[in-house]
Amino acid sequence: MSEPTDTPRPVPPSITAAWIGLMRAQRIVLAAIEADLKAAGLPPLGWYDVLLELARATEGRLRPFEIEKRTLLTQYNLSRLIDRLEGKGLVQKELSGEDGRGRLVVITQDGRAMQARMWTVYSRALSDHVGRKLDESGADALAGLLAKLTD
């Protein structure tokens, strides 16, 4: 067995450049999409992510931990977001029929309508901020490279 050392491993400049580029691109594109949603009078992208996952789910309902697993939201932020969505009538909470202890989050018709309204702006923003800079083969190549980081 090898002993752990405090000596940092050398990182090739190409790896560092890839990391910096990935972080910058993510920040810039996400900010642009958020700005487009805001300009259209729509809520932030996190709302769309939750509504989309609920719309995709069987009967439009998921437990909060299932939403957390399907999105990039932490449990704390997700709980607060679900409360805001519920306050706007976009979701409702129900007791789980399975055990009566757990909660389910259920998308409402208003939530489905909001998700559809948001997609109209979001899809245009994706085309503007990503599609204009990458052709389909470039997008496929990037998606393939990024998939390697999530395996």
Side-chain angles (χ1 to χ4, degrees), residues 68-145:
E68 182 183 352
K69 286 169 84 172
R70 295 176 185 206
T71 65
L72 299 176
L73 299 166
T74 62
Q75 190 276 326
Y76 172 75
N77 289 331
L78 179 61
S79 294
R80 292 176 47 207
L81 176 52
I82 290 170
D83 288 343
R84 287 194 298 275
L85 291 167
E86 184 180 36
K88 296 291 185 181
L90 304 177
V91 302
Q92 58 189 34
K93 295 177 194 169
E94 295 179 352
L95 287 177
S96 172
E98 295 171 9
D99 59 17
R101 293 178 304 176
R103 294 253 180 214
L104 291 167
V105 180
V106 183
I107 191 168
T108 64
Q109 283 306 111
D110 287 347
R112 289 180 189 278
M114 176 61 76
Q115 186 263 326
R117 283 182 44 223
M118 291 182 78
W119 177 243
T120 301
V121 174
Y122 185 19
S123 64
R124 187 173 39 239
L126 284 173
S127 292
D128 290 348
H129 304 297
V130 179
R132 287 188 181 165
K133 297 174 183 175
L134 296 174
D135 60 16
E136 282 194 52
S137 65
D140 285 341
L142 179 59
L145 291 170

